[in-house]
Every structure is written in structure tokens, then in C-alpha cells.
Amino acid sequence: MKAARGTLAGASRGMRGRMRTVMGAGLLLILVACGSDGDDAVPDTASGSLEQLAAKARCEPDIQTDAAELRQATCDKGARRYVLVTFTNARGQAEWFDEATDYGGTYLVGKKWIAVGEEKVVMRLRGRLGGTVEKSSHHSGSSGGGDSEDKSPGHSGHSGHHTS
């Protein structure tokens, strides 16, 4: 009787393992199918100069910063205002992004460029430029820049981030 129980228990464990595998595969297929609906409409991530990216986004850029390491422009189409920034290298982009996310917001990140604006604007823009959407919450407290937090909508180094 013990041998029969052991065999039956072993068969049950094997059956449970196969069922978990089948269920896991089914869940994976469901997740992939749900996730692919939105991704099909997203183009490959755009690249190019600030002007080339702005043209793809159907924006006439108002250049705010034209420096060696980055170029920044405001794109303003009524309620659809956003900032587009291009970088000369990935390191500069990463440093800018690390600082910018301290202030919260929704960012569309491409290779050597970032767009920042309201979430619905960034999501529409993604349909033209591709990229990855990153969201950040505002962090309170000082970021090492002095005794008091700057509460103005434009902050040092990234004055174009506000969308008012």
C-alpha cells in the first residue's frame, strides 16, 4: 500500500508540475498579447538632430539652449507643450535625466534625446518618435543646492521642464 501511495503521490506531483507549466505558458501568452497591442503602433526610436526630431514630431522648435553638450527647445502647439532636448553623448543624457527626475514628470527617452511634458502629450509624441516612457514622482527636500528648496516652476539647469 505504501508503494502505491508513493507512486500516486509522485504522479500527482508530476501532474501538478505540468499544469503549472501549462498555466504559466498560458499566462505568458496572455501578457504578450495584451502588451503587443500598444507596442504595434509605436515606431522604432527616432534619431537625429534636434531639428530632425522636431520635424518628425511636427514641431517648430523654439531653441532655448544651444550648448556644446546639449540643445534644448520648446515645442508649443496650444495645450500640447513639451520640451525636447538632444545630447552629444549618452553620459550627458544620463546625468541630465538623473537630475531632471528629481523634479518629477513624464519623459520620453530615446537615444541621445529626451522629451518632457504632460503624460498625454508624451504618449502622443511616442507615436511619432518611438522611445521609452519614464515617469518620476517629485522628491521633496533639498538636493544639495542650499538650505531651501526652489519651489519655482522652472529650476536651475532645466528651466524648460514646467508645462504651465
Side-chain angles (χ1 to χ4, degrees):
M1 187 75 174
K2 276 187 175 182
R5 263 192 213 150
T7 305
L8 188 56
S12 294
R13 272 187 241 127
M15 179 70 84
R16 284 187 294 227
R18 283 191 292 275
M19 287 184 69
R20 279 191 209 120
T21 301
V22 170
M23 289 174 56
L27 181 59
L28 181 62
L29 286 172
I30 290 169
L31 290 173
V32 168
C34 291
S36 67
D37 286 344
D39 292 342
D40 289 349
V42 177
D44 290 339
T45 301
S47 62
S49 69
L50 181 69
E51 289 80 6
Q52 290 168 331
L53 291 167
K56 288 178 186 175
R58 299 184 191 141
C59 150
E60 291 186 34
D62 179 12
I63 306 290
Q64 304 294 314
T65 304
D66 194 357
E69 65 278 356
L70 68 85
R71 297 184 71 215
Q72 177 175 309
T74 302
C75 290
D76 191 355
K77 288 194 168 202
R80 292 182 285 158
R81 180 182 172 162
Y82 58 94
V83 173
L84 183 60
V85 187
T86 58
F87 305 87
T88 57
N89 59 57
R91 180 178 177 187
Q93 179 182 12
E95 289 172 355
W96 186 94
F97 188 65
D98 284 346
E99 285 186 36
T101 56
D102 285 344
Y103 296 92
T106 303
Y107 301 84
L108 182 61
V109 180
K111 184 177 180 182
K112 295 186 186 176
W113 61 266
I114 295 177
V116 59
E118 291 183 12
E119 182 176 359
K120 64 183 178 180
V121 174
V122 168
M123 296 307 287
R124 271 192 224 130
L125 190 57
R126 185 174 186 232
R128 294 192 177 132
L129 298 180
T132 304
V133 175
E134 301 282 341
K135 295 180 189 176
S136 172
S137 299
H138 178 77
H139 301 287
S140 62
S142 175
S143 59
D147 292 335
S148 65
E149 181 179 355
D150 178 10
K151 296 190 186 318
S152 64
H155 51 278
S156 175
H158 308 291
S159 60
H161 289 200
H162 62 284
T163 57
S164 58

